[in-house]
């Protein structure tokens, strides 16, 4: 039983695209429920949620708290956290289904395991391909996917680790580090993410800022201070 959890804040333009690949998975019985955890949208996001028949959770603003709130409402044995501006490619649910079958068959050390998708930007520039290569290397060497790659995690493991923490930034890195390299699998299916922020800020500037924030996090700089720098 798979529960998909999507945090939103004024995401009426991106959310329909993110939810479209989930429809077939719901029809085929691979996704039991889609939960949208909203942080106070003032646009048409809630109308999109209602039209899609998803379950709405309204609460505190902030991606970490929103993800945690959605997880508390979820009924699934497996949780899939997905950003509102990320679209899973066709066939993602088939790969996830095979992965879960292997978990149940004991192909891994434990059923308390997690997985993430392959990062791709919805952009044709050379900068986009360069960034995808950097992310692929980061995931191969450090096993450190970000939230825009989705996170599929066994519910028992999620609860044992304490779930998402109330952090203004780096909540995805914080949870992945607690999961650990040995319990994280990289899937082949792509998670296609909007390039809007990179185009708006400039690819080089955005990449440098993200790297700076990650470095500061590893140096144990308080997340609230990192958030100020990021913003």
């Amino acid at each position: 039983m798979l529960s998909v959890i999507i945090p939103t804040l004024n995401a009426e333009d991106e959310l329909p695209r993110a939810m479209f690949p989930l429809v077939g998975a719901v029809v085929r019985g691979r996704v039991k429920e889609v939960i949208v955890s909203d942080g106070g949208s003032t646009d048409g996001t809630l109308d999109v949620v209602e039209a899609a028949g998803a379950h709405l959770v309204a609460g505190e603003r902030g991606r970490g708290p929103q993800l945690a709130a959605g997880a508390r409402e979820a009924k699934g044995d497996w949780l899939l956290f997905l950003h509102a501006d990320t679209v899973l490619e066709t066939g993602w649910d088939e790969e996830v289904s095979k992965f879960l079958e292997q978990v149940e068959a004991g192909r891994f050390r434990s059923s308390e395991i997690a997985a993430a998708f392959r990062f791709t930007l919805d952009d044709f520039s050379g900068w986009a391909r360069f960034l995808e290569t950097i992310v692929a290397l980061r995931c191969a060497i450090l096993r450190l996917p970000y939230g825009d790659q989705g996170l599929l995690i066994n519910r028992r493991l999620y609860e044992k680790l304490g779930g998402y923490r109330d952090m203004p930034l780096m909540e995805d890195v914080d949870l992945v580090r607690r999961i650990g390299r040995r319990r994280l699998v990289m899937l082949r299916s792509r998670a296609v993410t909007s390039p809007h922020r990179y185009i708006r800020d400039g690819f080089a500037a955005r990449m440098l800022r993200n790297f700076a924030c990650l470095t500061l996090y590893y140096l144990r700089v308080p997340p609230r201070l990192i958030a100020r720098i990021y913003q």
Side-chain angles (χ1 to χ4, degrees), residues 144-145 161-167 169-180 217 223:
L144 191 63
L161 296 174
Y164 282 100
R165 291 170 175 166
D166 185 2
M167 301 170 62
L169 199 70
M170 312 301 289
E171 77 289 330
D172 49 354
V173 175
D174 175 70
L175 179 55
V176 166
R177 287 191 68 192
R178 282 181 280 140
I179 291 171
Y217 173 79

Side-chain angles (χ1 to χ4, degrees), residues 52-71:
H55 177 55
L56 176 66
V57 175
E60 179 185 354
R61 177 179 298 189
R63 185 168 282 161
Q66 287 175 233
L67 290 167

Side-chain angles (χ1 to χ4, degrees), residues 6-9 11 14-18 63 82-87:
I6 305 175
T8 58
L9 180 63
E14 301 90 358
L15 187 58
R17 296 182 64 243
R63 185 168 282 161
L82 187 67
H83 286 187
D85 62 350
T86 296
V87 181

Side-chain angles (χ1 to χ4, degrees), residues 12-202:
E12 65 174 342
D13 294 330
E14 301 90 358
L15 187 58
R17 296 182 64 243
M19 297 188 73
F20 182 76
L22 307 178
V23 174
V26 172
V27 172
R28 288 185 286 273
R30 290 172 177 162
V31 170
K32 187 67 175 178
E33 59 181 353
V34 177
I35 299 172
V36 175
S37 183
D38 190 72
S41 294
T42 56
D43 63 356
T45 297
L46 303 190
D47 295 330
V48 174
V49 176
E50 182 178 1
H55 177 55
L56 176 66
V57 175
E60 179 185 354
R61 177 179 298 189
R63 185 168 282 161
Q66 287 175 233
L67 290 167
R72 286 193 295 270
E73 292 290 324
K75 300 178 177 64
D77 298 321
W78 287 85
L79 308 176
L80 173 57
F81 298 99
L82 187 67
H83 286 187
D85 62 350
T86 296
V87 181
L88 299 179
E89 73 171 340
T90 301
W92 73 271
D93 57 317
E94 182 177 352
E95 182 180 15
V96 166
S97 180
K98 290 180 180 178
F99 170 71
L100 297 184
E101 288 175 2
Q102 291 183 1
V103 173
E104 292 298 322
R107 295 285 298 276
F108 299 93
R109 294 182 178 181
S110 170
S111 61
E112 295 182 359
I113 197 169
F117 297 94
R118 186 157 53 96
F119 173 80
T120 304
L121 273 180
D122 189 13
D123 186 79
F124 295 102
S125 68
W127 274 111
R129 302 293 82 80
F130 176 71
L131 177 58
E132 290 166 5
T133 301
I134 294 298
V135 172
L137 288 172
R138 187 189 71 216
C139 292
I141 297 172
L142 300 178
R143 273 295 193 273
L144 191 63
Y146 285 178
D148 50 15
Q149 293 174 250
L151 180 66
L152 174 67
I153 184 170
N154 177 268
R155 187 185 191 93
R156 291 193 303 274
L157 176 59
Y158 175 83
E159 293 179 346
K160 179 183 292 186
L161 296 174
Y164 282 100
R165 291 170 175 166
D166 185 2
M167 301 170 62
L169 199 70
M170 312 301 289
E171 77 289 330
D172 49 354
V173 175
D174 175 70
L175 179 55
V176 166
R177 287 191 68 192
R178 282 181 280 140
I179 291 171
R181 292 172 53 91
R182 295 185 178 183
R183 293 186 293 199
L184 185 65
V185 175
M186 297 306 303
L187 302 173
R188 294 186 300 272
S189 297
R190 298 180 303 164
V192 184
T193 296
S194 169
H196 171 71
R197 293 184 178 89
Y198 289 93
I199 294 174
R200 180 193 64 196
D201 301 338

